[in-house]
Amino acid sequence: MTVILYAIPFFFLLIALELWVDRVRGTGFYRLNDAITSLSAGVLSRVMVVAHQLIPITVYVLVFEQFAQFSLSAIWWLWLLAFIAYDFFYYWNHRLGHEMSILWAAHVVHHSSEEYNLTTALRQTSGAIFSWIFYLPMAIAGVPPEMFITIAALNLVYQFWVHTRHIDDLGWMEKIFVTPSNHRVHHAQNKIYIDKNYGGVFIIWDRLFNTFKHEEKDVEIIYGIRGALNSFNPVWANCQIYAQLIKDSYHTKRWQDKLRVWFGRTGWRPTDVSQRFPLQKTLLEHFVKFDPSQSPLTKLYCTLQHGIMLTVTLYLLLALQSINGTAQLALVLAVLSSAVMTGFILQGMPRALKLDSIRLISIAVLLGFMDVATWLQISIVALHCVSLIIGLMVLRKVAHQINETDDLSDEPSSS
Ligand SMILES: [Zn+2]
Ligand SMILES: [Zn+2]
């Protein structure tokens, strides 16, 4: 966690740099709605880590204490060995994360963006509840929990920079490391690229286990997933496949199928449910990105809300040890509700703004009673007031547009 916390400023610096390059080159690889959703998913995953990582880490510690014959010491080459071993287990964790429905349900979030930029790297799952199982051999081999946590964080931090379209083929590096080029292939939904390049830091595992695919120069990559998310709600991005699996296992008749829905190959569905509830999959030739347009004022509102949410999250993560449980819960509620409501507004539901004004007032009052920093309370009140004014302006504009449309439709036809 600490490694990732230290890395956060660099993440944002590099995102700013990529954004600048994007503007200079005019490539248009960034979209506000998509970037906000990616960052919100990243924020939720970090907030959830605080809660649910306790279980996996406890299991890892238990296995380490019970089964490890010896504890590896902090010699540099042992660190290197453990780092390579972690990446090997990461490969299998990631590969099964694509190949088995229940694991795909958690991993899908990372692939739900239809853009590919550094914010995509932060679009992480909040529900990787089974990943830790893959790393238990490391506990048995004697990798101490502190060493394991640091290595896992370093592996994740490495993966950040490969989520860019601004770096081409890197020559010899493509043979050994995961690079922007070979990871772009992993995020593609083009048929020739499906289920390829699972490595975290090293691409050698893919070459070894026949899942490697080189990026073809003449193939335009279509990013995202076949069953498009069509939402900017990061909570829904985390639940989408779980909801589908619950529905399928509930409706299918055979009990074996009820289990196979979860543990079968990703995409497999029992015949009875697939006939009753067919899933729509867009043909790639007609692929259109989910991108409802928004007024500049709505964009300003969402950017402001997102900025507040990032600040509250950073405060929560840094002050975690010094604030009580109730304050932690209130801050989590502020973050979660902001992420969901901003998603709705970005989706083209301006009326969600009415509901959001109630949220803005409630959160400001709630945090006012909490044992959190005074500067945060004052900033929230001030920024929520500004947001209310902008929200009101957006709503007035929408009401005006509706009136104009009504007037036009009331006019008698000239023909
Ligand atoms: Zn993946
Ligand atoms: Zn990725």
Side-chain angles (χ1 to χ4, degrees), residues 15-31 115-117 164-166:
I15 287 172
L17 179 69
E18 193 192 34
L19 203 55
W20 176 73
V21 173
D22 190 62
R23 291 287 133 89
V24 170
R25 290 184 175 175
T27 39
F29 296 157
Y30 269 86
R31 258 194 294 142
E115 300 294 338
Y116 190 79
N117 54 52
T164 182
R165 294 167 72 181
H166 288 288

Side-chain angles (χ1 to χ4, degrees), residues 146-199:
E146 316 81 59
M147 194 173 176
F148 172 78
I149 293 169
T150 311
I151 285 170
L154 287 172
N155 190 291
L156 192 67
V157 169
Y158 173 88
Q159 292 180 36
F160 177 75
W161 78 282
V162 302
H163 293 83
T164 182
R165 294 167 72 181
H166 288 288
I167 297 175
D168 271 341
D169 189 302
L170 289 174
W172 66 269
M173 278 185 75
E174 304 289 336
K175 291 191 167 50
I176 305 165
F177 295 103
V178 172
T179 63
S181 172
N182 60 46
H183 198 63
R184 283 195 287 269
V185 166
H186 179 67
H187 276 258
Q189 49 170 319
N190 310 52
K191 219 169 180 175
I192 56 159
Y193 291 151
I194 293 287
D195 291 343
K196 296 285 184 270
N197 301 357
Y198 295 114

Side-chain angles (χ1 to χ4, degrees), residues 69-370:
Q69 300 301 313
F70 50 87
S71 176
L72 296 181
S73 54
I75 305 169
W76 72 266
W77 61 268
L78 278 176
W79 272 85
L80 187 66
L81 207 66
F83 187 82
I84 296 170
Y86 178 91
D87 202 59
F88 170 77
F89 293 117
Y90 175 88
Y91 169 86
W92 287 104
N93 173 22
H94 191 188
R95 183 165 169 176
L96 269 110
H98 278 259
E99 293 179 351
M100 189 191 280
S101 293
I102 190 173
L103 301 178
W104 172 243
H107 183 58
V108 67
V109 185
H110 184 58
H111 288 270
S112 59
S113 170
E114 289 167 352
E115 300 294 338
Y116 190 79
N117 54 52
L118 290 176
T119 65
T120 316
L122 303 180
R123 194 182 275 236
Q124 293 288 335
T125 178
S126 299
I129 37 181
F130 299 111
S131 293
W132 55 275
I133 295 170
F134 290 86
Y135 304 103
L136 290 184
M138 293 183 71
I140 298 166
V143 177
E146 316 81 59
M147 194 173 176
F148 172 78
I149 293 169
T150 311
I151 285 170
L154 287 172
N155 190 291
L156 192 67
V157 169
Y158 173 88
Q159 292 180 36
F160 177 75
W161 78 282
V162 302
H163 293 83
T164 182
R165 294 167 72 181
H166 288 288
I167 297 175
D168 271 341
D169 189 302
L170 289 174
W172 66 269
M173 278 185 75
E174 304 289 336
K175 291 191 167 50
I176 305 165
F177 295 103
V178 172
T179 63
S181 172
N182 60 46
H183 198 63
R184 283 195 287 269
V185 166
H186 179 67
H187 276 258
Q189 49 170 319
N190 310 52
K191 219 169 180 175
I192 56 159
Y193 291 151
I194 293 287
D195 291 343
K196 296 285 184 270
N197 301 357
Y198 295 114
V201 171
F202 302 107
I203 201 72
I204 44 174
W205 316 119
D206 288 284
R207 292 182 180 275
L208 217 58
F209 300 114
N210 287 325
T211 49
F212 178 74
K213 180 85 184 88
H214 198 271
E215 185 183 26
E216 305 284 346
K217 287 276 166 275
D218 52 348
V219 175
E220 194 194 334
I221 292 183
I222 300 172
Y223 296 97
I225 45 175
R226 293 301 307 280
L229 178 63
N230 289 340
S231 167
F232 296 124
N233 178 349
V235 175
W236 179 240
N238 274 284
C239 301
Q240 185 199 19
I241 303 290
Y242 284 115
Q244 181 62 51
L245 297 181
I246 290 170
K247 188 180 167 192
D248 282 0
S249 61
Y250 176 77
H251 285 289
T252 190
K253 295 277 182 290
R254 280 157 43 106
W255 68 266
Q256 300 99 306
D257 286 346
K258 285 184 190 294
L259 271 180
R260 200 174 156 196
V261 161
W262 294 91
F263 297 97
R265 177 96 195 178
T266 300
W268 178 85
R269 299 180 75 209
T271 321
D272 54 349
V273 285
S274 64
Q275 279 173 352
R276 219 172 129 196
F277 310 105
L279 286 180
Q280 291 294 325
K281 282 193 179 172
T282 347
L283 290 170
L284 287 186
E285 306 84 72
H286 307 296
F287 179 77
V288 180
K289 288 176 186 172
F290 179 65
D291 186 20
S293 69
Q294 297 297 341
S295 69
L297 214 53
T298 311
K299 285 182 180 174
L300 176 68
Y301 181 90
C302 292
T303 310
L304 182 59
Q305 283 313 302
H306 190 64
I308 299 170
M309 190 195 71
L310 291 180
T311 313
V312 173
T313 307
L314 220 57
Y315 172 79
L316 172 68
L317 296 179
L318 290 171
L320 198 65
Q321 310 300 332
S322 58
I323 52 175
N324 61 38
T326 324
Q328 288 178 9
L329 261 177
L331 292 169
V332 169
L333 184 71
V335 169
L336 205 67
S337 58
S338 171
V340 173
M341 291 309 292
T342 307
F344 282 142
I345 298 162
L346 284 171
Q347 256 161 258
M349 300 162 71
R351 282 188 176 82
L353 270 165
K354 281 185 187 168
L355 199 62
D356 207 34
S357 59
I358 302 169
R359 184 189 69 84
L360 290 175
I361 297 166
S362 316
I363 293 292
V365 173
L366 179 70
L367 291 184
F369 285 107
M370 292 297 137

